[in-house]
Amino acid sequence: MEKLIITVAGVGAETTREQQPNLPVTPPEIGVDAARCAEAGASVFHLHVRDAAGAPTQDKEVFAAAIDEIRKRTDIIIQTSTGGAMGMTADERLQPLELDPEMASLTTGTGNFGPDVFFNDQELIETFYRRMIEKGVRPEFEIFEAGQIDNALRLMKKFGPPGPLAHWDFVLGVPGTMMGEPRTLTFLVDSIPANLRERSTWTCTGIGRWHMPVTMMALALGGNVRLGFEDNVFYHKGVPAGGNAQLVARVVRLAREWGREPATPDEARRILKLAPHDK
Ligand code: KMH
Ligand code: ZN
């Protein structure tokens, strides 16, 4: 099996300090957190940022500051969010792409998101995808519902491939969308057409109580894992995690027991067929 790519979604848009006292919020806090996670075995950081009041923002300058703080400390792959937070406009959400990140998230459909609706209509999705392709930013397809896979395939057919390979993230357990049952994950993995599978990598995210079941399934199926305070704030039920790195370290231990080593950022670049990082 390939080495394990661990992606940390360490900040998110919805998680608060009240829910998770160790949530990194300021650019320096995010930089320190990303470095600790990389040290623990993570190779990708899915990046959201917050404004001075701690509210989610897609402001390019705040992203630039956070990226700078991360880069001072680690060569972890930085994947900026284009999901942002509920209610943001497409133009707001697109801003971090101007910084030419190595990767960016792309949700290929609209869906329920707890009490809200995460809005991604066809025009928005096509605009985001084309912008990523033009700029050479690798999308991570964030799949909250099965039809979003078909929609990603439509994008590839209409606008060309997303790079040398397609990278998928199956997000399971958001209230209002698919839960993290084994049959759901196997169905999603099997939904990647056979001719694209060898040019695909996939990870999966278990939200809240689905974190550990989905992680174990990913390890069993040879996939990769995403975790962090955007997705789950607890170490055990009712016990907040001591930091994102603590969640990384647990998965590294489990993977090693399974005979699978975590990928370093450069190894993850090779697996994902991203350009080598120039130090
Ligand atoms: N905050 C959610 C509405 C992404 O980063 O691309 C969407 C989200 C997905 O976080
Ligand atoms: Zn996100």
Side-chain angles (χ1 to χ4, degrees), residues 13-14 46 48 81-86 105 107 113 118 142 144 230:
E14 291 82 21
H46 169 76
H48 286 256
S81 169
T82 66
M86 227 59 71
S105 58
T107 301
F113 203 92
F118 182 28
E142 306 290 344
F144 293 77
E230 175 168 352

